[in-house]
């Protein structure tokens, strides 16, 4: 087989593949065996007749069509492997020359990932931040546990810090007077002083009595999680439905035994610190990996097909749509709240989508360069552990499907490659 490669565009290639009779003959025989299984030849059982007799019995149009499909597919796969191409879509195939079973030449045009030129990533260093959990952070969790275990009693006096108030509230834009999605609630329990709401909100409720309402303006923080609400001035109207005084239990061994399998307060504190440390380490590692990949990506050159980026944008938006639906909001309501069109929202995702795709390509290239692999034994151990998490046999069976096994394998290879890069960056 001869394969000639032409680079039509940075992300578009053309392969011209030519095969000789010696390469086509095994393909012909394989197609003969496949089609001949259901062909009856006098004097022979189905599928047992000699190849030369089977060939005479076959519809030549069907035979040649099946042969071409098999030959083009097999040779194309061999050619892209030989040329180390990364196609991202099905190729456009054109038959240039075909003499049945002896001569075949075809072209295949496809979108492909351009050549990846990695920097000397082994020289990129990044300090791994030390994780520390403060006494204040542990105490904050303990205080939250006390509040959950508190005894509540209805009171008729005005609300004060430390009380739990049940409220109805609405929020409208202070300028346009338009309602704001996500800035309202019904029968919402809120402990005053918990800092669960934006700064200033809980303080405004101090002094309110049962059935009393209050309207006030607050500006959302500039780093608020929802971009559309950052620095936005909102007019809230709150009505108090219930006021309850909380009697917090003592922070002692009795509390510890009541909230979990702990024998003492010291055990509980130790467990809280352990859990907070694990969470910080996980978050720190995620941030470290992202920063490291960004540093490598900044120095990596690769032409990325637009189709790959569009697919990644689709995945990002699908995940966002699931989260929006979970909150009871429609996609259009979300777009309106963000004050963007559907197309503007997509384009806003493009930079992060491009970085994700580039990072994935980098990890694949590093894995190949460093010969990082996941052994069959490692894959089976991971699958077994995953199956143990799902008692349902149906869910366990899903993990045995080829596509899910490939997904687990891909994730394990990513983990191994990140571990390797992390070790290089901190050595």
């Amino acid at each position: 087989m001869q394969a000639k490669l032409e680079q039509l565009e940075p992300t578009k290639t053309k392969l011209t593949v030519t095969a000789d009779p010696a390469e086509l003959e095994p393909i012909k025989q394989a197609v003969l065996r496949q089609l001949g299984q259901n062909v009856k030849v006098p004097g022979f059982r189905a599928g047992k007749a000699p190849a030369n007799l089977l060939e005479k019995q076959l519809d030549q149009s069907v035979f040649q069509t099946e042969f071409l499909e098999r030959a083009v597919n097999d040779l194309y796969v061999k050619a892209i492997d030989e040329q180390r191409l990364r196609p991202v879509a099905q190729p456009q195939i054109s038959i240039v020359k075909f003499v049945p079973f002896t001569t075949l030449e075809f072209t295949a045009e496809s979108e492909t990932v351009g050549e990846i030129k990695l920097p000397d990533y082994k020289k990129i260093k990044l300090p791994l931040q030390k994780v520390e959990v403060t006494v204040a952070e542990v105490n904050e969790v303990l205080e939250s546990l006390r509040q959950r275990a508190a005894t509540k009693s209805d009171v008729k006096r005005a609300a004060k810090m430390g009380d739990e108030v049940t409220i109805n509230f609405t929020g409208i834009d202070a300028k346009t007077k338009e309602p704001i999605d996500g800035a309202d609630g019904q029968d919402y329990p809120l402990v005053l002083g918990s800092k669960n709401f934006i700064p200033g909100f809980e303080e405004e409720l101090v002094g309110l009595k049962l059935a009393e309402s209050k309207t006030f303006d607050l500006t959302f923080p500039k780093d608020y999680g929802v971009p559309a609400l950052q620095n936005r001035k909102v007019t809230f109207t709150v009505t108090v439905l219930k006021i309850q005084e909380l009697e917090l239990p003592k922070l002692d061994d009795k509390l510890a035994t009541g909230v979990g399998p702990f024998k003492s307060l010291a055990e509980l504190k130790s467990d809280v610190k352990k859990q907070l440390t694990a969470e910080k380490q996980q978050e720190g590692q995620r941030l470290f990996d992202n920063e490291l990949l960004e540093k490598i990506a900044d120095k990596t050159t690769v032409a990325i097909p637009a189709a790959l980026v569009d697919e990644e944008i689709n995945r990002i938006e699908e995940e966002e749509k699931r989260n929006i639906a979970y909150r009871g909001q429609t996609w259009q309501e979300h777009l309106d709240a963000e004050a963007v069109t559907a197309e503007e929202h997509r384009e806003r995702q493009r930079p992060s989508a491009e970085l994700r795709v580039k990072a994935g390509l980098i990890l694949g290239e590093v894995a190949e360069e460093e010969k990082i692999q996941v052994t069959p034994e490692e894959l089976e151990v991971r699958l077994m552990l995953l199956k143990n998490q799902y008692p349902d046999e149906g869910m366990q069976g899903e993990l045995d499907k080829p596509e899910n096994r490939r997904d687990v394998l891909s994730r394990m290879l990513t983990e191994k490659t990140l571990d390797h890069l992390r070790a290089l960056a901190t050595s």
Side-chain angles (χ1 to χ4, degrees), residues 117-404:
K117 294 182 180 179
L118 292 172
D120 188 353
Y121 53 84
K122 295 181 181 180
K123 291 184 178 179
I124 296 177
K125 302 299 178 180
L126 191 63
L128 189 59
Q129 298 299 320
K130 186 179 179 182
V131 171
E132 292 184 359
V133 173
T134 66
V135 173
E137 289 172 325
V138 173
N139 288 339
E140 187 177 341
V141 175
L142 294 175
E143 187 62 25
S144 176
L145 291 173
R146 289 182 71 203
Q147 289 186 0
R148 291 185 207 171
T151 301
K152 302 177 183 179
S153 55
D154 292 344
V155 293
K156 295 182 179 180
R157 57 168 172 74
K160 65 180 182 179
M161 280 294 175
D163 288 342
E164 180 177 280
V165 294
T166 302
I167 58 174
N168 288 343
F169 64 97
T170 59
I172 62 173
D173 188 285
K175 291 182 179 180
T176 66
K177 308 304 179 184
E178 293 292 325
I180 297 175
D181 290 318
D184 58 356
Q186 298 289 314
D187 295 314
Y188 192 95
L190 175 64
V191 176
L192 301 184
S194 64
K195 300 180 181 179
N196 286 335
F197 273 39
I198 63 173
F201 187 96
E202 294 167 24
E203 289 79 358
E204 290 285 351
L205 306 189
V206 173
L208 292 183
K209 297 179 180 179
L210 282 174
E212 192 173 356
S213 297
K214 184 178 183 180
T215 298
F216 51 90
D217 289 345
L218 287 177
T219 301
F220 276 79
K222 62 180 180 180
D223 59 349
Y224 192 69
V226 180
L229 292 177
Q230 292 174 354
N231 286 322
R232 194 169 180 181
K233 191 174 183 180
V234 176
T235 299
F236 287 101
T237 299
V238 181
T239 301
V240 177
L241 305 178
K242 183 188 294 185
I243 302 173
Q244 292 183 305
E245 188 172 82
L246 303 183
E247 185 179 345
L248 301 180
K250 291 182 179 180
L251 192 58
D252 55 16
D253 292 346
K254 183 179 179 181
L255 172 67
T257 57
V259 299
F262 309 106
K263 296 179 181 178
S264 66
L265 178 60
E267 259 189 44
L268 173 59
K269 286 183 177 180
S270 176
D271 186 75
V272 168
K273 186 173 183 178
K274 181 180 177 181
Q275 295 297 329
L276 288 175
T277 301
E279 289 174 10
K280 282 195 170 186
Q281 286 175 335
Q282 187 175 22
E283 177 63 12
Q285 183 171 299
R286 185 185 67 79
L287 294 173
F288 179 91
D289 291 344
N290 288 344
E291 186 177 352
L292 178 58
L293 283 173
E294 283 185 24
K295 284 181 176 291
I296 298 174
D298 285 342
K299 299 179 180 180
T300 298
T301 58
V302 57
I304 302 174
L308 269 186
V309 179
D310 287 336
E311 285 179 13
E312 188 60 34
I313 292 174
N314 290 340
R315 279 191 283 269
I316 293 172
E317 288 203 331
E318 284 304 315
E319 182 179 353
E320 191 173 2
K321 285 176 181 178
R322 285 193 294 271
N323 293 334
I324 292 298
Y326 180 77
R327 299 205 301 262
Q329 192 178 28
T330 68
W331 185 241
Q332 189 56 53
E333 286 172 342
H334 174 66
L335 294 176
D336 291 343
E338 298 280 324
V340 293
T341 65
E343 187 56 35
E344 287 171 339
H345 187 278
R346 281 186 64 82
E347 287 308 305
R348 196 167 63 183
Q349 310 298 332
R350 192 166 295 279
S352 60
E354 287 177 346
L355 182 58
R356 282 195 194 186
V357 172
K358 194 173 186 180
L361 293 172
I362 288 170
L363 288 171
E365 191 74 4
V366 171
E368 186 174 335
E369 191 167 303
E370 299 288 332
K371 296 180 172 53
I372 299 171
Q373 294 180 334
V374 176
T375 66
E377 293 77 15
E378 288 172 328
L379 176 60
E380 291 306 320
V381 169
R382 176 65 65 87
L383 288 169
M384 181 180 68
L385 292 173
L386 288 171
K387 287 179 180 179
N388 288 338
Q389 296 177 14
Y390 301 105
D392 181 74
E393 291 184 4
M395 289 297 295
Q396 292 180 0
E398 286 292 313
L399 289 169
D400 288 325
K401 291 183 177 179
E403 62 271 23
N404 292 329

Side-chain angles (χ1 to χ4, degrees), residues 1-2 15-19 68 71-77 79 92-97 104-108:
M1 181 194 76
Q2 292 183 341
L15 273 173
T16 300
V17 180
T18 306
L68 264 179
V72 168
N73 183 69
D74 290 357
L75 294 170
Y76 174 69
V77 170
Q92 291 183 333
I93 302 293
S94 298
I95 305 300
V96 177
K97 186 177 182 181
L104 174 61
E105 181 179 336
F106 66 90
T107 61

